[in-house]
Amino acid sequence: MKEINIQKYILGEDASLADALKIINKNEIFKIALIINKKKKLIGTIVDGDIRRALLNNKSLDSKVVFSMKKNPI
């Protein structure tokens, strides 16, 4: 099995929805972005459906991912 470089899926908590879209679109295998805080702890995940819902709720692509991510990922 091929080793996965998780670094290309990671975004900081200050990233925008547009940043998340770029990460999700760039990755062909897993369509997800992992959100970490300043201590490098995983605090959430975001997928394209979360971004679509945010846009439908009048958020802009400049909005922070922390307001639209799924918290407490398993």
Side-chain angles (χ1 to χ4, degrees), residues 18-72:
D19 295 331
L21 274 176
K22 289 174 190 170
I23 293 288
I24 292 167
N25 193 51
K26 183 170 51 172
N27 295 304
E28 296 177 6
I29 298 172
F30 301 106
K31 298 291 186 177
I32 192 169
L34 307 172
I35 314 303
I36 61 171
N37 64 13
K38 289 177 175 59
K39 295 181 181 179
K40 298 188 179 181
K41 179 183 174 197
L42 180 66
I43 59 170
T45 61
I46 194 163
V47 296
D48 62 345
D50 299 322
I51 297 170
R52 282 195 310 271
R53 282 185 286 280
L55 294 173
L56 288 170
N57 286 318
N58 299 317
K59 299 270 191 234
S60 75
L61 287 175
D62 294 326
S63 298
K64 302 281 186 207
V65 290
V66 293
F67 300 118
S68 301
M69 70 182 186
K70 296 288 185 203
K71 297 176 181 159
N72 303 317

